[in-house]
Amino acid sequence: MASHYQHLSFEERRKIAKWREGKMPVPEIADRLSRPASTIYRELKRNTFLDAELPQYSGYYAVTAQDKYERRRAVHRKLVAYPEVKAAVEDALKAGWSPEQIAGRMRLEQHRICVSHETIYRFAYSKLGLAEAFYRHLPEHRRRRRPRNHRRHQRSHIQDSQSLCHRPAVVAERQEFGHWECDLMMFRKENGKVNVTSLVERVSRFTVLIRNEDRHSEPIMEALIAGLAPLPAEARQSITFDRGTEFSAWRRLKDGIGAASWFCDPQAPWQKGTVENTNGRLRKHLPRSTEPTALTNRYLRSICQSLNSTPRKCLGYRTPAEVFESNLMALRNRLE
């Protein structure tokens, strides 16, 4: 496999300047730096300082060469060359979009100037980006990218639950609209028992949030019934849960809205990965330190609106709201 080309470093340019001052031939400089001679010739041609008025001061100087190199590279960085694109990217990041979502949406909307998600990351971690603290707008707000930690869950067993292994393949493979995943978002104990139900439709990734006053299962199920009841029956066919005791009253769903219930295997919340991933996104708006008084229905609706209007790579950079509405309209047309 061919190795990637490495640009000359400032230290290498210092050596080139010193050796050129000593009249060292270019082939020998290239040999000492383990570089092709063409690289050195190109460096001298591009970055030699020329003074038309005082030609005696013309020559190759390391600091000047490095400065010319950095300026030339900056011109090719779209977020430097096009301030309006940078402003648009920054606004989208502040709205909670990821670099990948921004890049994908630009391609979907066929912008005149598009950027890749790597371009956004490279700018954020470049010298200029770090000077502006641009990384603070990224989803993780970190100076360096690193793997996310996995959440750990401890869940109790639910008697007579319907195992996920019996869930139809059309649900597991996201081939049918109207199947949901559900979880509870908890907050610090000192803030009381208030929690939030997060509900995500598997095909569209459309999210619904519901406030609960405690973790008692029956009120939680009644709130789910009230939240999903306005939808057509085909749009609320099933819900997948983990085995937390807060979902032990799952039979009420079948009686209330006819929705089937499926349960993950013990200690396997990753089997409902759609809602787990959504919870990670929601934590930006609902950290564990959130006060119960802040969890108003209006605030939860605004969070849902923000999340559902954010383009997703898995949806071809369409938004969950667009996909959900499209499926809902198709469903209603079939029923008419």
Side-chain angles (χ1 to χ4, degrees), residues 69-90 113-115 119-120 122-130 132 134:
Y69 160 77
E70 291 180 355
R71 289 176 180 273
R72 187 166 56 250
R73 292 283 292 176
V75 168
H76 295 289
R77 292 204 300 269
K78 291 182 180 178
L79 296 185
V80 175
Y82 302 100
E84 69 280 7
V85 176
K86 176 190 169 187
V89 168
E90 190 170 347
I113 299 171
C114 294
V115 296
T119 295
I120 298 173
R122 280 199 301 268
F123 175 78
Y125 297 118
S126 68
K127 184 187 297 185
L128 179 59
L130 288 173
E132 297 180 7
F134 198 83

Side-chain angles (χ1 to χ4, degrees), residues 316-327:
Y317 296 103
R318 292 179 294 168
T319 70
E322 291 170 346
V323 177
F324 187 83
E325 184 63 27
S326 175
N327 278 275

Side-chain angles (χ1 to χ4, degrees), residues 40-96:
I40 309 303
Y41 280 118
R42 185 164 55 248
E43 171 67 16
L44 294 173
K45 181 179 180 180
R46 286 179 172 179
N47 296 330
T48 292
F49 172 71
L50 298 174
D51 191 323
E53 296 182 359
L54 300 171
Q56 65 271 27
Y57 291 112
S58 298
Y60 183 86
Y61 305 103
V63 174
T64 304
Q66 183 71 17
D67 182 63
K68 292 181 70 173
Y69 160 77
E70 291 180 355
R71 289 176 180 273
R72 187 166 56 250
R73 292 283 292 176
V75 168
H76 295 289
R77 292 204 300 269
K78 291 182 180 178
L79 296 185
V80 175
Y82 302 100
E84 69 280 7
V85 176
K86 176 190 169 187
V89 168
E90 190 170 347
D91 288 343
L93 287 171
K94 289 179 179 178

